Amino acid sequence: MLMLRHSTTGWDEGPVPVECQAGAFRIQDAQIVADTGSSGPPSSGTANLTIQGNVLQGGFSANQNVQLPQAGVQISRYKIGEQTSPIPRDRFIFNTSWFDGARGPGQTQNVTRFVPGMEWMLDDSSSVEVRLPFASTFDSNQPTDANGQLLGASNTEFGNAVVSYKELLYQNQNFALSAGLALQLPTADDFVIQNSLFRITRSAESVNLMPFLGTLYTKDRFFLQTFTQLSFDTNGETVKAENVRDGGSAIIGRLQEAPLIFGDISTGYWFYQNNHYCRPTQLTGLAGMLELHMTQTLTDVDYIDTRALDYNFQFGQRNGSIGVANLTAGTTMEFGKQSVLTFAWVSPLTKTDKQFNGELQVLFSYYFDKLGSGFRSPRTAMR
C-alpha cells in the first residue's frame, strides 16, 4: 500500500536488508513494495486506496485493496424493501442480521447489525418512519501495524439514521400502490485509516435522497410485493490526508457515491391462517417467502488521483461499477394479528461484487392497529 523510500521518509533509521519478508510486503532496495499490486473489485460507497502506486494489502488476499468506505456504509445501507410494506401502518420494528464474511476495508469479518425503528401514520394514506441502525462491525478507525497490515479493529457503532415518508396512491381489494422519499443522514463516525506516516479521513457528510415506488398484490393466500428505489448522494464526502510526523495536512478531494438503483421482489404463500383467535400470543398465520434483491450503480464509481504532501494518492479506480444480486428465503409467523416474526437466510448470487458470504435475519414487527402482517390483503391492512 505504501511505496516509501527510506532516505526521504525516515521510515527506518537503520539499514534495510534486501528481500526481507514483511507480512504482505517485501523490503527491497530500501523501499516497501506490495507483493501484488492488482486491484480488487470496486463497490459502491467505497474507494480503494493506493499510495505511491502501490496497494495497501491489509492482510486479506492478494487481490483485495484497502477500502475507504462511505461513513456508516459498513453498518447499514437503507433499502425500502427490507421489512416494509407499501401500506402505511402504525408499528414498531427491530431487525437483527448476522453477516458471515462481510467485506470491509482490506479484510472480512463477521458483523452483527441491529435496526430499531418506528412508523407512524399521519392519516389513512400516509406515514413517516425513522430507523436508527447500529452494529458490531468494522471500527471506523482502522490502524495498521509497522508493515502496513490492517489490524482488523472492530467496534460497536451507530450508522446513518434514515427518515422516510410514504404515501398510498391507490388501493383496492387486491392491489396497492405507494410512493415515497427517504432521507439518509450522516450520523455515523468519520472513516479513518492510520499508520505511522499517514492519517487518511473520509468525513461523514453525505446526505442521500432515496425516492421509491412500491406495490402489493394479494390473491387468496398468495402475495407479491415489489419495490423500486433510487439513491442519490447529494453532496459527497471530504477526503483529507495528514502527515502524522510533521503535522501537515491537505484536502485531497471529495468522493461522491455513484447513483444506485435497487430492485426488490418478494413472493409468498400463507400455509396457515386463523382469523378466530383468543390470545394475542396465538399463531394466526404462517407463510413461506422467497425474495430477490438487486443493486446496480447507474454510473462509474467516483475516482480521485492527486498529489499531496509529496505523495501520490489514488482513491477508487477508473471505469468501475458494481452489480449485486441476493436471494432470500424465509418464513413469517404472525401472532394475534399483532406481532410478526420472520426468520430468513440471504445468499449472494453474484461473486465479483458480493458484500458478504451469507446473512441470517431475524425481523420483528409489532402492529399497534392489530390488523395483521403487511402481507395481508390491502383492504384488510387499512383502517
Side-chain angles (χ1 to χ4, degrees), residues 23-287:
F25 298 83
R26 65 184 185 274
I27 301 174
Q28 179 178 351
D29 298 330
Q31 298 181 27
I32 307 174
V33 183
D35 283 341
T36 59
S38 56
S39 297
S43 58
S44 179
T46 66
N48 299 322
L49 169 60
T50 304
I51 302 175
Q52 294 295 88
N54 287 287
V55 177
L56 179 60
Q57 290 298 301
F60 169 51
S61 69
N63 295 322
Q64 177 66 48
N65 303 65
V66 167
Q67 295 176 338
L68 196 71
Q70 182 186 28
V73 76
Q74 299 295 341
I75 298 175
S76 178
R77 182 188 299 282
Y78 178 73
K79 294 188 67 176
I80 186 65
E82 184 170 305
Q83 200 184 4
T84 306
S85 169
I87 307 296
R89 301 293 296 276
D90 285 314
R91 63 179 186 140
F92 165 78
I93 67 169
F94 194 91
N95 301 347
T96 305
S97 295
W98 291 272
F99 294 91
D100 174 62
R103 288 191 176 186
Q107 58 188 322
T108 63
Q109 71 178 46
N110 296 335
V111 170
T112 302
R113 186 186 68 192
F114 307 95
V115 186
M118 288 285 295
E119 182 180 0
W120 300 272
M121 290 187 66
L122 303 178
D123 51 40
D124 286 346
S125 62
S126 64
S127 67
V128 171
E129 181 179 281
V130 176
R131 297 193 183 196
L132 303 171
F134 62 97
S136 174
T137 183
F138 301 91
D139 197 324
S140 58
N141 193 319
Q142 288 286 325
T144 69
D145 63 17
N147 297 322
Q149 297 273 49
L150 284 175
L151 298 178
S154 60
N155 197 8
T156 299
E157 300 185 353
F158 284 99
N160 293 320
V162 176
V163 179
S164 59
Y165 172 80
K166 180 168 54 183
E167 179 75 31
L168 185 64
L169 302 178
Y170 174 81
Q171 58 103 20
N172 59 28
Q173 186 66 36
N174 299 107
F175 180 77
L177 171 68
S178 66
L181 179 66
L183 187 68
Q184 183 171 280
L185 305 173
T187 55
D189 293 335
D190 296 345
F191 192 86
V192 178
I193 294 177
Q194 181 173 349
N195 58 23
S196 60
L197 297 172
F198 293 104
R199 176 183 173 91
I200 312 294
T201 302
R202 182 171 179 173
S203 300
E205 301 170 344
S206 177
V207 175
N208 284 54
L209 290 179
M210 296 170 286
F212 60 86
L213 188 70
T215 67
L216 174 64
Y217 172 78
T218 64
K219 181 66 173 178
D220 298 325
R221 297 191 175 197
F222 171 80
F223 57 86
L224 176 69
Q225 179 174 286
T226 68
F227 278 103
T228 303
Q229 172 190 336
L230 298 172
S231 179
F232 300 99
D233 181 355
T234 62
N235 57 323
E237 296 181 326
T238 302
V239 179
K240 181 173 69 172
E242 300 171 82
N243 190 314
V244 174
R245 297 196 171 187
D246 63 19
S249 64
I251 301 297
I252 294 177
R254 297 187 72 85
L255 285 171
Q256 192 157 11
E257 181 183 70
L260 295 168
I261 184 169
F262 302 93
D264 304 285
I265 182 168
S266 174
T267 183
Y269 184 83
W270 291 100
F271 296 106
Y272 173 79
Q273 288 182 321
N274 178 14
N275 295 321
H276 306 286
Y277 60 96
C278 302
R279 302 180 305 277
T281 58
Q282 188 172 344
L283 185 68
T284 52
L286 177 65

